Amino acid sequence: LAKTTQPISMDSYEGQEVNITCSHNNIATNDYITWYQQFPSQGPRFIIQGYKTKVTNEVASLFIPADRKSSTLSLPRVSLSDTAVYYCLVGAKAAGNKLTFGGGTRVLVKP
Amino acid sequence: NAGVTQTPKFQVLKTGQSMTLQCAQDMNHNSMYWYRQDPGMGLRLIYYSASEGTTDKGEVPNGYNVSRLNKREFSLRLESAAPSQTSVYFCATDRGLGSGANVLTFGAGSRLTVL
Protein backbone atom coordinates (compact mmCIF):
# COMPACT_ATOMS: atom_id res chain seq x y z
CA LEU A 1 0.00 0.00 0.00
CA ALA A 2 1.31 3.44 -0.90
CA LYS A 3 1.33 5.44 2.32
CA THR A 4 0.91 9.17 1.92
CA THR A 5 2.37 12.05 3.92
CA GLN A 6 1.03 15.62 3.84
CA PRO A 7 1.58 18.77 5.91
CA ILE A 8 -0.90 18.98 8.77
CA SER A 9 -2.02 22.54 8.07
CA MET A 10 -1.44 25.59 5.89
CA ASP A 11 -2.63 29.18 6.12
CA SER A 12 -3.18 31.45 3.15
CA TYR A 13 -4.93 34.66 2.16
CA GLU A 14 -7.66 35.31 -0.33
CA GLY A 15 -6.38 35.63 -3.88
CA GLN A 16 -3.18 33.70 -3.26
CA GLU A 17 -2.17 30.39 -4.78
CA VAL A 18 -2.02 27.42 -2.42
CA ASN A 19 0.24 24.45 -3.11
CA ILE A 20 -0.07 21.25 -1.09
CA THR A 21 2.53 18.53 -1.57
CA CYS A 22 1.87 14.87 -0.85
CA SER A 23 4.66 12.29 -0.57
CA HIS A 24 3.98 8.72 -1.70
CA ASN A 25 7.36 7.01 -2.00
CA ASN A 26 5.96 3.50 -2.46
CA ILE A 27 3.51 4.27 -5.24
CA ALA A 28 2.93 1.30 -7.56
CA THR A 29 3.13 1.41 -11.34
CA ASN A 30 -0.63 1.21 -11.86
CA ASP A 31 -1.63 3.58 -9.06
CA TYR A 32 -3.31 6.90 -9.72
CA ILE A 33 -3.16 9.93 -7.43
CA THR A 34 -6.44 11.45 -6.38
CA TRP A 35 -7.19 14.52 -4.28
CA TYR A 36 -10.31 15.13 -2.24
CA GLN A 37 -11.72 18.16 -0.45
CA GLN A 38 -13.74 17.95 2.74
CA PHE A 39 -15.80 20.69 4.37
CA PRO A 40 -16.95 20.38 7.99
CA SER A 41 -19.87 17.99 8.48
CA GLN A 42 -19.68 16.75 4.89
CA GLY A 43 -18.19 13.76 3.14
CA PRO A 44 -15.07 14.30 1.03
CA ARG A 45 -15.57 15.16 -2.60
CA PHE A 46 -13.36 14.51 -5.60
CA ILE A 47 -11.20 17.39 -6.85
CA ILE A 48 -8.70 16.03 -9.34
CA GLN A 49 -6.87 12.88 -10.38
CA GLY A 50 -3.70 12.21 -12.31
CA TYR A 51 -1.14 9.59 -13.24
CA LYS A 52 1.87 11.62 -14.39
CA THR A 53 2.96 15.11 -15.49
CA LYS A 54 0.27 17.77 -15.14
CA VAL A 55 -3.49 17.68 -14.99
CA THR A 56 -5.71 20.77 -14.85
CA ASN A 57 -9.45 21.20 -14.41
CA GLU A 58 -11.71 24.11 -13.56
CA VAL A 59 -10.90 23.81 -9.85
CA ALA A 60 -7.23 22.90 -9.50
CA SER A 61 -4.02 21.66 -11.07
CA LEU A 62 -2.08 18.56 -10.16
CA PHE A 63 1.66 18.32 -10.76
CA ILE A 64 3.34 14.91 -10.70
CA PRO A 65 7.11 14.59 -11.26
CA ALA A 66 8.59 11.85 -13.41
CA ASP A 67 9.43 9.57 -10.47
CA ARG A 68 5.83 9.90 -9.16
CA LYS A 69 7.01 9.77 -5.56
CA SER A 70 5.18 12.98 -4.76
CA SER A 71 2.43 15.18 -6.14
CA THR A 72 1.40 18.79 -5.65
CA LEU A 73 -2.14 20.09 -5.64
CA SER A 74 -2.33 23.72 -6.71
CA LEU A 75 -5.37 25.86 -5.91
CA PRO A 76 -5.20 29.14 -7.83
CA ARG A 77 -6.48 32.39 -6.30
CA VAL A 78 -8.16 30.85 -3.25
CA SER A 79 -11.22 32.33 -1.60
CA LEU A 80 -12.64 31.93 1.90
CA SER A 81 -14.81 29.08 0.64
CA ASP A 82 -11.69 27.02 -0.11
CA THR A 83 -11.09 26.61 3.63
CA ALA A 84 -11.27 22.85 4.03
CA VAL A 85 -9.26 19.70 4.60
CA TYR A 86 -7.53 18.28 1.54
CA TYR A 87 -6.64 14.61 1.25
CA CYS A 88 -4.23 12.87 -1.09
CA LEU A 89 -5.15 9.27 -1.92
CA VAL A 90 -3.18 6.76 -3.94
CA GLY A 91 -5.16 3.97 -5.56
CA ALA A 92 -4.02 0.66 -4.10
CA LYS A 93 -4.86 -1.55 -7.03
CA ALA A 94 -2.16 -4.01 -6.02
CA ALA A 95 -4.06 -4.64 -2.79
CA GLY A 96 -7.50 -4.85 -4.27
CA ASN A 97 -9.61 -1.89 -3.34
CA LYS A 98 -8.26 -1.17 0.12
CA LEU A 99 -8.27 2.62 -0.14
CA THR A 100 -6.84 4.27 2.97
CA PHE A 101 -6.47 7.98 3.59
CA GLY A 102 -3.63 9.87 5.19
CA GLY A 103 -4.17 12.61 7.73
CA GLY A 104 -5.00 15.36 5.26
CA THR A 105 -3.99 19.02 5.16
CA ARG A 106 -6.15 21.63 6.85
CA VAL A 107 -6.13 24.79 4.73
CA LEU A 108 -7.31 28.02 6.29
CA VAL A 109 -7.91 30.94 3.94
CA LYS A 110 -7.90 34.29 5.68
CA PRO A 111 -9.47 37.52 4.42
CA ASN B 1 -30.26 10.17 -8.94
CA ALA B 2 -29.38 10.27 -5.25
CA GLY B 3 -25.81 8.88 -5.46
CA VAL B 4 -24.94 7.45 -2.04
CA THR B 5 -27.63 7.49 0.65
CA GLN B 6 -26.90 6.82 4.31
CA THR B 7 -29.42 6.21 7.07
CA PRO B 8 -29.82 7.29 9.77
CA LYS B 9 -28.16 10.71 9.72
CA PHE B 10 -28.02 10.90 13.51
CA GLN B 11 -28.23 8.25 16.22
CA VAL B 12 -27.65 8.15 19.96
CA LEU B 13 -27.02 4.79 21.59
CA LYS B 14 -26.33 3.55 25.07
CA THR B 15 -23.27 1.43 25.72
CA GLY B 16 -23.99 -2.18 24.81
CA GLN B 17 -26.83 -1.45 22.40
CA SER B 18 -26.66 -2.64 18.82
CA MET B 19 -27.56 -0.91 15.59
CA THR B 20 -27.07 -1.06 11.85
CA LEU B 21 -26.04 1.78 9.58
CA GLN B 22 -27.46 1.48 6.09
CA CYS B 23 -25.86 2.57 2.84
CA ALA B 24 -27.40 2.38 -0.62
CA GLN B 25 -26.04 3.55 -3.97
CA ASP B 26 -27.67 4.01 -7.35
CA MET B 27 -24.47 4.48 -9.32
CA ASN B 28 -24.05 0.82 -10.29
CA HIS B 29 -20.59 0.82 -8.70
CA ASN B 30 -18.88 -2.42 -7.78
CA SER B 31 -16.98 -1.37 -4.67
CA MET B 32 -18.32 0.05 -1.42
CA TYR B 33 -16.58 1.26 1.73
CA TRP B 34 -17.24 2.23 5.30
CA TYR B 35 -15.02 4.87 6.95
CA ARG B 36 -15.15 6.48 10.35
CA GLN B 37 -13.98 9.98 11.18
CA ASP B 38 -13.40 11.04 14.76
CA PRO B 39 -13.54 14.77 15.61
CA GLY B 40 -10.63 16.66 14.06
CA MET B 41 -9.14 13.50 12.59
CA GLY B 42 -8.79 11.89 9.20
CA LEU B 43 -10.79 9.03 7.70
CA ARG B 44 -10.07 5.47 8.73
CA LEU B 45 -11.24 2.49 6.72
CA ILE B 46 -13.41 0.02 8.66
CA TYR B 47 -14.49 -2.49 6.02
CA TYR B 48 -14.80 -2.57 2.29
CA SER B 49 -16.43 -4.68 -0.36
CA ALA B 50 -14.63 -4.92 -3.68
CA SER B 51 -17.65 -6.48 -5.35
CA GLU B 52 -20.99 -8.04 -4.53
CA GLY B 53 -20.49 -11.10 -2.35
CA THR B 54 -17.10 -10.11 -0.93
CA THR B 55 -16.07 -8.13 2.13
CA ASP B 56 -12.67 -7.40 3.64
CA LYS B 57 -11.31 -5.79 6.78
CA GLY B 58 -9.85 -2.32 6.66
CA GLU B 59 -7.68 -0.54 9.18
CA VAL B 60 -10.06 -0.57 12.17
CA PRO B 61 -12.55 -3.48 11.84
CA ASN B 62 -12.82 -4.49 15.50
CA GLY B 63 -16.31 -4.05 16.94
CA TYR B 64 -18.00 -3.96 13.53
CA ASN B 65 -19.57 -6.35 11.06
CA VAL B 66 -20.70 -5.70 7.52
CA SER B 67 -23.06 -7.18 4.99
CA ARG B 68 -23.00 -6.62 1.24
CA LEU B 69 -26.64 -7.42 0.72
CA ASN B 70 -26.56 -6.86 -3.04
CA LYS B 71 -24.77 -4.59 -5.45
CA ARG B 72 -26.66 -1.54 -4.17
CA GLU B 73 -26.49 -1.99 -0.41
CA PHE B 74 -23.69 -2.26 2.14
CA SER B 75 -24.59 -2.18 5.84
CA LEU B 76 -22.41 -1.68 8.92
CA ARG B 77 -23.44 -3.25 12.21
CA LEU B 78 -22.32 -2.46 15.73
CA GLU B 79 -23.19 -5.47 17.87
CA SER B 80 -22.37 -3.93 21.25
CA ALA B 81 -21.71 -0.21 20.99
CA ALA B 82 -18.93 1.40 23.03
CA PRO B 83 -18.20 5.10 23.68
CA SER B 84 -15.02 4.72 21.59
CA GLN B 85 -17.26 4.16 18.57
CA THR B 86 -18.67 7.68 18.81
CA SER B 87 -17.82 9.07 15.39
CA VAL B 88 -19.12 10.14 12.02
CA TYR B 89 -19.46 7.21 9.65
CA PHE B 90 -19.13 7.66 5.91
CA CYS B 91 -20.11 5.23 3.22
CA ALA B 92 -18.42 5.53 -0.17
CA THR B 93 -18.53 3.81 -3.54
CA ASP B 94 -16.04 3.32 -6.35
CA ARG B 95 -16.20 1.87 -9.82
CA GLY B 96 -13.76 -0.80 -8.73
CA LEU B 97 -10.79 -2.68 -10.11
CA GLY B 98 -10.17 -2.59 -13.80
CA SER B 99 -11.71 0.82 -14.26
CA GLY B 100 -8.28 2.45 -14.47
CA ALA B 101 -8.52 4.54 -11.37
CA ASN B 102 -10.29 4.87 -8.06
CA VAL B 103 -12.70 7.76 -7.62
CA LEU B 104 -14.71 7.62 -4.42
CA THR B 105 -18.18 9.09 -4.06
CA PHE B 106 -19.18 9.67 -0.45
CA GLY B 107 -22.48 9.79 1.34
CA ALA B 108 -23.43 12.63 3.68
CA GLY B 109 -22.42 10.70 6.78
CA SER B 110 -24.08 9.21 9.85
CA ARG B 111 -23.27 10.85 13.17
CA LEU B 112 -23.26 8.30 15.97
CA THR B 113 -22.97 9.07 19.68
CA VAL B 114 -22.55 6.29 22.22
CA LEU B 115 -23.24 7.25 25.81
Side-chain angles (χ1 to χ4, degrees):
Chain A
L1 297 176
K3 181 179 178 180
T4 60
T5 304
Q6 302 174 232
I8 293 175
S9 64
M10 300 178 70
D11 288 357
S12 184
Y13 290 92
E14 283 189 293
Q16 289 189 335
E17 179 181 78
V18 171
N19 296 306
I20 309 170
T21 296
C22 178
S23 297
H24 29 78
N25 291 319
N26 298 319
I27 189 169
T29 303
N30 293 330
D31 284 346
Y32 282 69
I33 301 152
T34 311
W35 285 81
Y36 294 84
Q37 175 190 56
Q38 185 181 27
F39 297 116
S41 301
Q42 295 184 24
R45 67 171 189 172
F46 170 84
I47 302 176
I48 196 167
Q49 183 177 79
Y51 183 79
K52 61 181 179 181
T53 62
K54 177 184 175 181
V55 179
T56 297
N57 62 21
E58 64 278 6
V59 177
S61 294
L62 179 59
F63 299 91
I64 305 169
D67 66 5
R68 301 196 337 118
K69 293 184 182 300
S70 67
S71 59
T72 299
L73 174 72
S74 180
L75 305 173
R77 298 179 299 282
V78 294
S79 64
L80 297 177
S81 62
D82 291 315
T83 292
V85 179
Y86 294 82
Y87 294 95
C88 162
L89 181 66
V90 175
K93 294 186 73 172
N97 288 72
K98 189 173 183 179
L99 300 176
T100 56
F101 285 80
T105 299
R106 191 174 301 273
V107 172
L108 174 62
V109 180
K110 302 176 182 178
Chain B
N1 186 348
V4 181
T5 303
Q6 294 184 231
T7 54
K9 287 185 170 54
F10 301 93
Q11 183 71 49
V12 178
L13 292 177
K14 295 180 180 178
T15 298
Q17 287 185 318
S18 61
M19 79 156 298
T20 300
L21 300 178
Q22 307 285 355
C23 177
Q25 54 110 351
D26 61 5
M27 305 175 76
N28 200 34
H29 283 173
N30 292 319
S31 302
M32 298 184 74
Y33 305 79
W34 276 106
Y35 293 90
R36 62 175 286 176
Q37 186 172 38
D38 298 338
M41 305 296 287
L43 297 117
R44 292 186 291 171
L45 180 63
I46 306 172
Y47 270 94
Y48 66 103
S49 170
S51 61
E52 183 179 356
T54 68
T55 60
D56 285 284
K57 295 179 180 179
E59 303 169 281
V60 289
N62 291 342
Y64 305 95
N65 287 301
V66 290
S67 295
R68 183 73 183 269
L69 304 171
N70 47 55
K71 190 171 185 178
R72 288 188 65 249
E73 299 171 292
F74 188 37
S75 62
L76 178 71
R77 182 162 179 83
L78 288 71
E79 291 291 351
S80 179
S84 61
Q85 294 178 304
T86 293
S87 191
V88 179
Y89 293 83
F90 289 102
C91 176
T93 72
D94 170 50
R95 289 171 293 176
L97 278 174
S99 64
N102 305 106
V103 176
L104 294 170
T105 301
F106 283 83
S110 296
R111 186 176 299 273
L112 175 66
T113 301
V114 183
L115 302 175

